[in-house]
């Protein structure tokens, strides 16, 4: 069974959802570890002998049932629910806008409340359905500090890191909107995968550099992969980094998810320009960290992302150097047709050039898929995520090439 062929309007917008409770200062239980949740309950008068049981109850309701209202926790005593409502929140973020592409890709613009003396912030989360899988692309920061020269998202300044709660909330909200919790209905006309779950894979590949927000990302991903809750296999979770070498080692040791590297060049002088973090962590150090990543095998490969830029990094010599660079590293190489955006100085490589590049990589023994554009009519492709205040005009969007976020992580 394939995904539904229903054709939806290019941009189906949801109205602004006014959520007064989000403006408060109550802490959220979402994103807390079990230990942190236990401490929060004890601090609010829950007897020591009840804490473990209460944490188990809350964990079930938050991450298996997916509730966002304490009153829905029917096996929790009424006075306990009242205490929880007075001191905590489990509310979802505001949905400022929801867009649905003709190909089934969905993009949500989410608004989170102020933190401390800050202001409300917005991030984008993208869902891509395929036959047999559905991939959710999650943001880790508001904006980005890396300023990669070919990336539209990188033109937005870094505002702040997202909390573990805010990272997890993207997954919870997407599961809400897709009917992916028990007793929830799938949206009418939605394109969904043929798997039991609507969201089978997640990628930390949205706005921001996840490894510059390591602790919050770690906490969120460990909760997402917890077998007594959201229960996503770590082989179905992919963290994409531009190359923060010290935290690549930590990711392997402390999180253990699949790894993707935004490579894009095989020579330091070019990568210094395309991906400026290379000046701090050059290719030799980056590849050494990849070789040392725990559990690498032909069945558990690192994905290397390589955007195809015309007359910049797309020559046959570049392909040869790429094979040489990755020799001995179990790897898959995703070739990404460049996504143009207003003001960019780059162009997408010619299709014949991309195919020639891919053929050489394949003949050298590396899987080298060419990414199919997805979600381009709603500006949901990689490198095109940006908050509402700096979005491109709708009339410009149809002109842009895009690549799909899907295809990361294992199928089983």
């Amino acid at each position: 069974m394939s995904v539904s062929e229903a054709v939806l309007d290019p941009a189906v917008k949801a109205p602004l959802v006014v959520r007064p409770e989000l403006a408060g200062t109550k802490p959220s239980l979402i994103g807390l570890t079990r230990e942190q949740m236990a401490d929060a309950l004890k601090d609010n008068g829950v007897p020591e002998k009840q804490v473990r049981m209460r944490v188990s109850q809350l964990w079930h309701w938050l991450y298996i049932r997916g509730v966002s209202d304490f009153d829905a926790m029917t096996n929790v005593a009424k006075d306990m629910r009242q205490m929880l409502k007075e001191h905590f929140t489990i509310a979802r973020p505001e949905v400022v806008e929801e867009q649905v592409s003709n190909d089934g890709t969905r993009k949500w613009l989410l608004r989170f409340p102020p933190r401390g003396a800050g202001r409300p912030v917005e991030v984008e989360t993208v869902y891509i359905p395929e036959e047999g899988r559905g991939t959710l692309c999650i943001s880790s920061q508001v904006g980005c500090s890396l300023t990669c020269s070919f990336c539209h998202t990188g033109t937005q300044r870094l505002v702040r890191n997202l909390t573990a709660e805010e990272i997890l909330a993207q997954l919870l909200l997407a599961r809400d909107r897709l009917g992916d919790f028990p007793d929830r209905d799938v949206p009418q006309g939605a394109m969904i995968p043929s798997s039991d779950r609507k969201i089978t894979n997640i990628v930390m590949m949205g706005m921001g550099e996840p490894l510059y927000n390591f602790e919050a990302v770690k906490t969120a991903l460990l909760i997402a992969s917890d077998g007594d809750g959201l229960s996503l296999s770590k082989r179905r979770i992919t963290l994409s980094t531009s190359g923060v070498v010290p935290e690549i080692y930590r990711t392997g040791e402390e999180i253990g998810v699949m790894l993707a590297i935004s490579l894009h060049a095989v020579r330091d002088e070019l990568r210094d320009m395309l991906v400026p973090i290379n000046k701090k962590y050059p290719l030799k150090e980056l590849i050494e960290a990849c070789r040392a990543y725990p559990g690498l095998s032909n069945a558990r490969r690192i994905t290397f992302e390589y955007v195809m830029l015309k007359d910049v990094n797309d020559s046959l010599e570049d392909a040869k150097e790429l094979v040489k660079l990755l020799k001995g590293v179990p790897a898959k190489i995703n070739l990404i047709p460049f996504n143009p955006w207003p003001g960019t100085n780059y162009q997408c490589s010619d299709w014949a050039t991309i195919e020639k590049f891919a053929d050489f990589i394949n003949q050298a023994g590396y899987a080298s898929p060419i990414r199919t554009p997805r979600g381009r009519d709603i500006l949901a492709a990689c490198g095109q995520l940006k908050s509402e205040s700096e979005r491109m005009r709708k009339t410009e969007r149809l002109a842009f090439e895009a690549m799909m976020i899907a295809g990361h992580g294992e199928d089983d």
Side-chain angles (χ1 to χ4, degrees), residues 39 42 96 213:
D39 290 340
K42 285 186 285 188
V96 178
N213 188 17

Side-chain angles (χ1 to χ4, degrees), residues 102-149:
N102 288 323
D103 63 20
T105 298
R106 289 173 177 260
K107 182 169 69 171
W108 296 279
L109 180 66
L110 306 180
R111 180 176 296 151
F112 292 102
R115 299 294 175 191
R119 299 182 301 172
V121 295
E122 297 173 354
V123 298
E124 290 177 334
T125 305
V126 179
Y127 172 72
I128 295 178
E130 296 178 272
E131 183 175 356
R133 68 153 70 189
T135 301
L136 186 71
C137 179
I138 295 176
S139 294
S140 59
Q141 296 179 310
V142 184
C144 187
S145 63
L146 293 182
T147 63
C148 297
S149 61

